[in-house]
Amino acid sequence: MKPMTNTKARQLSSVPNTHRESTLRAIGQKAHDVTARIEFLSVEGKKMAELIKGAPGDGSSRLDYLHKQLTSM
């Protein structure tokens, strides 16, 4: 029995693929969504870093820390 091999490689066209307008719009929207998510996470990360700076480091309890946060408003 003759082994099955792929001896003939498929030639790729040198012409760039053309996409439908809807495909390009979907790609652009996905890129926009990902960029917006990255920016959101960056802002949230900065907020968390600010909260960590104010976290109790002197051994006080979490409840004391929360009480101070709520009563200082």
Side-chain angles (χ1 to χ4, degrees):
M1 192 166 152
K2 185 177 178 182
M4 302 278 290
T5 60
N6 186 7
T7 57
K8 189 175 186 180
R10 191 179 112 209
Q11 291 185 355
L12 298 175
S13 172
S14 62
V15 178
N17 291 335
T18 56
H19 298 287
R20 288 185 287 168
E21 183 181 342
S22 60
T23 303
L24 294 175
R25 191 176 298 115
I27 292 169
Q29 182 62 40
K30 177 72 175 175
H32 180 268
D33 292 346
V34 170
T35 302
R37 181 73 177 152
I38 290 169
E39 289 175 8
F40 170 76
L41 292 175
S42 174
V43 169
E44 289 296 309
K46 288 176 185 174
K47 285 182 186 176
M48 293 298 132
E50 289 296 320
L51 289 174
I52 288 171
K53 287 180 185 176
D58 57 356
S60 63
S61 73
R62 180 78 175 144
L63 288 175
D64 289 339
Y65 172 70
L66 290 175
H67 176 71
K68 288 178 193 174
Q69 292 291 316
L70 292 173
T71 56
S72 67
M73 290 182 175

